Amino acid sequence: MKEYQEKDAVRAMRSALDAEASARISDDELLNIIDIIWDWYEDQGLLDIDADADTPEEVNTQALAAHVRKLLAKDKLSPVLPAEVEPLVAAQLAYEQSLES
């Protein structure tokens, strides 16, 4: 299993954006989304180690994206548009899955 690298996660997320959105959204904003995702994992108990678990729990991507959208909506200065959240979350999840191979 490869080690998680924030710069690689940001790169993966940036690849899910078109050129205009990529220019508008900073790396810090993408890191903020990563933090929101990991906080959600923790709140859902997905970071708990369960020695009896054979497979990792499935992530409810729709609930996760809704959570990220909700928190970003509270930040009136966030440049991330609601329609951009789901592709960014999907890119982050795809990056995480790539570490397992």
Side-chain angles (χ1 to χ4, degrees):
M1 180 175 206
K2 299 176 191 171
E3 188 173 317
Y4 185 93
Q5 298 291 325
E6 284 183 341
K7 67 179 180 172
D8 293 335
V10 166
R11 188 176 310 118
M13 292 171 76
R14 193 164 295 289
S15 71
L17 298 170
D18 62 30
E20 181 275 325
S22 186
R24 177 174 27 88
I25 300 171
S26 71
D27 285 357
D28 286 340
E29 189 63 34
L30 295 175
L31 288 168
N32 180 49
I33 292 171
I34 291 169
D35 287 343
I36 292 170
I37 291 169
W38 284 90
D39 287 346
W40 185 84
Y41 287 166
E42 186 172 19
D43 292 345
Q44 300 299 308
L46 298 174
L47 297 180
D48 297 340
I49 297 174
D50 184 355
D52 296 330
D54 292 332
T55 58
E57 291 188 44
E58 284 294 315
V59 173
N60 182 337
T61 56
Q62 299 214 332
L64 175 54
H67 177 73
V68 172
R69 270 194 297 279
K70 178 182 169 185
L71 290 184
L72 291 179
K74 291 180 181 182
D75 180 0
K76 300 299 181 197
L77 299 177
S78 176
V80 180
L81 302 176
E84 295 165 339
V85 170
E86 196 160 340
L88 289 170
V89 168
Q92 164 64 16
L93 294 175
Y95 168 70
E96 290 175 23
Q97 289 176 341
S98 76
L99 298 176
E100 295 174 10
S101 54

